[in-house]
Amino acid sequence: VDKNRNSDIYLFKQNNEKMKVALILATNVEKSPYMQYYIDVYKEKNIDVEVILLNRDKRVSNEEFPYKIHSCDIIARETASCVRKIYDYFRYSRFVRRILKQSDYSQIVVFTIANAVFLSYYLLSYYKKKYIFDIRDYSPLVKYTVPIIRRLLNNSALNCFSSPGFRSWLPACDYVICHNARRKSLDEDIVNARDIDVENVKVLTIGQLRNFITNKMLMDHLGNKSRITIQFSGMGIAYDLLKKYEVKKMYNNVKFTGYYPKKEEFSIVDGCDFMNIILPDDTLSRYLISNRFYLSLLRRKPMIVSSGGIQAEYVKEYDLGIIVSSEDDIYSKIMIYARSFDPIQF
């Protein structure tokens, strides 16, 4: 933490006054696992939490979660044009400002750059030094809004990001890393690694299926291999394309299980041997640490990652799995690693 700031003064009131905090998400709860980290901390301090979210697919109801939810139901498709996305964020920011005006929040946590930029005037005018700016991924807005982002960073109570790789494109400032895993997970959710049956190796892709090219590449390398099963669990903009491609190529070892409740995530991961985290080679993917990375660590599963990214650096340093590129024989790499895998050492 920035040594020039007294975090107790900025983050928690020192008297008996009851605090109420708003967490402002750019999507729904199920796609924001990092939110739970904050809720755990605030609950420990007996601080009330309310969540303001953009309910893109209308899967959220107030009965599902033990805190108050303010839901803005805008169908914001990932494939929408830039103009449409800007318009939707503008509409959502108006909704958020209306909620903020109606409630007396002691502190705000605003997630993602787009959220913060669209709310920047309100944050800087009414919540200076009373908001936490949490950066979850790269945004194209960075190219056009560096002065605004710098002001937001300099006037926050605390700045967080989920990957130290973000320093390469963020303005210089003090940051604290906030991982995509709950603190309680480090005590409760870690399991022991298990042996890999080299005659029946399951490779899992779990979560949002956003990229067709990288997942198509995985199918092309592993499709119809007798010792490999490929499983896709989750939905996303690439889901239908991947299913059509699997039918077209007549791959007999590819399985799609579709949407799953968050509570089933660990059991799905426990049934696999390798976690697929092959991502595109772009600014968005190169510097992030994905949710799958944390799932792999917590459930002790070796991972398959793309070369050139920050995740590949960690995999190489700690021998956490396999680093691949499109030119590699991914099947051979998996089988060589599986044969030599030592669960105790891992």
Side-chain angles (χ1 to χ4, degrees), residues 23-231:
L23 308 184
I24 306 174
L25 307 181
T27 183
N28 62 30
V29 172
E30 291 185 341
K31 296 177 183 177
S32 309
Y34 42 81
M35 176 198 72
Q36 195 60 49
Y37 187 104
Y38 285 90
I39 290 175
D40 291 343
V41 174
Y42 285 126
K43 290 301 182 185
E44 285 180 9
K45 300 287 185 179
N46 194 31
I47 294 169
D48 290 337
V49 175
E50 296 185 0
V51 176
I52 307 173
L53 58 83
L54 180 57
N55 193 13
R56 294 171 184 266
D57 47 16
K58 297 189 178 181
R59 283 197 178 126
V60 172
S61 68
N62 286 359
E63 291 77 25
E64 292 181 54
F65 304 100
Y67 38 77
K68 186 174 181 179
I69 289 179
H70 304 276
S71 175
C72 180
D73 298 334
I74 296 176
I75 300 299
R77 303 187 186 280
E78 292 188 56
T79 54
S81 67
C82 289
V83 174
R84 177 55 195 254
K85 287 179 179 178
I86 290 172
Y87 175 64
D88 286 340
Y89 266 111
F90 174 72
R91 291 170 63 200
Y92 179 50
S93 68
R94 291 177 62 186
F95 173 83
V96 173
R97 289 196 301 270
R98 186 164 64 250
I99 300 299
L100 295 179
K101 288 177 182 178
Q102 293 171 356
S103 304
D104 182 23
Y105 293 112
S106 310
Q107 187 178 93
I108 289 174
V109 183
V110 57
F111 296 98
T112 75
I113 287 173
N115 249 352
V117 167
F118 277 89
L119 291 169
S120 58
Y121 176 80
Y122 198 89
L123 293 173
L124 294 170
S125 299
Y126 301 103
Y127 279 91
K128 186 178 291 187
K129 301 299 182 182
K130 293 201 295 183
Y131 64 89
I132 295 176
F133 187 7
D134 191 307
I135 299 164
R136 292 285 119 190
D137 49 31
Y138 176 79
S139 170
L141 285 173
V142 173
K143 297 178 183 178
Y144 313 104
T145 59
V146 169
I148 297 174
I149 293 171
R150 187 175 287 113
R151 285 191 65 199
L152 287 165
L153 291 168
N154 290 334
N155 289 281
S156 70
L158 189 70
N159 299 312
C160 303
F161 53 34
S162 57
S163 170
F166 293 174
R167 289 187 186 276
S168 63
W169 51 263
L170 278 170
C173 196
D174 295 304
Y175 299 95
V176 176
I177 190 164
C178 182
H179 290 293
N180 283 4
R182 299 173 66 178
R183 292 189 302 167
K184 61 180 286 187
S185 293
L186 305 180
D187 300 319
E188 299 178 4
D189 296 332
I190 291 177
V191 299
N192 292 326
R194 70 180 192 191
D195 291 317
I196 298 175
D197 179 1
V198 295
E199 298 300 319
N200 183 24
V201 178
K202 180 182 284 188
V203 178
L204 173 67
T205 306
I206 190 168
Q208 288 292 301
L209 302 178
R210 290 192 178 96
N211 191 269
F212 173 71
I213 299 300
T214 55
N215 290 305
K216 168 184 172 294
M217 181 188 78
L218 184 76
M219 281 199 280
D220 288 340
H221 277 266
L222 305 182
N224 291 341
K225 300 292 186 183
S226 60
R227 298 175 180 176
I228 294 279
T229 300
I230 311 165
Q231 179 172 320

Side-chain angles (χ1 to χ4, degrees), residues 203 217-223 225 228 274 278 304-305 307 322-339:
V203 178
M217 181 188 78
L218 184 76
M219 281 199 280
D220 288 340
H221 277 266
L222 305 182
K225 300 292 186 183
I228 294 279
F274 287 87
I278 301 174
I304 307 168
V305 300
S307 60
I322 304 165
I323 303 169
V324 302
S325 64
S326 58
E327 295 79 23
D328 292 335
D329 183 344
I330 298 177
Y331 174 75
S332 294
K333 280 197 164 188
I334 288 174
M335 299 312 297
I336 291 169
Y337 189 94
R339 290 190 187 100

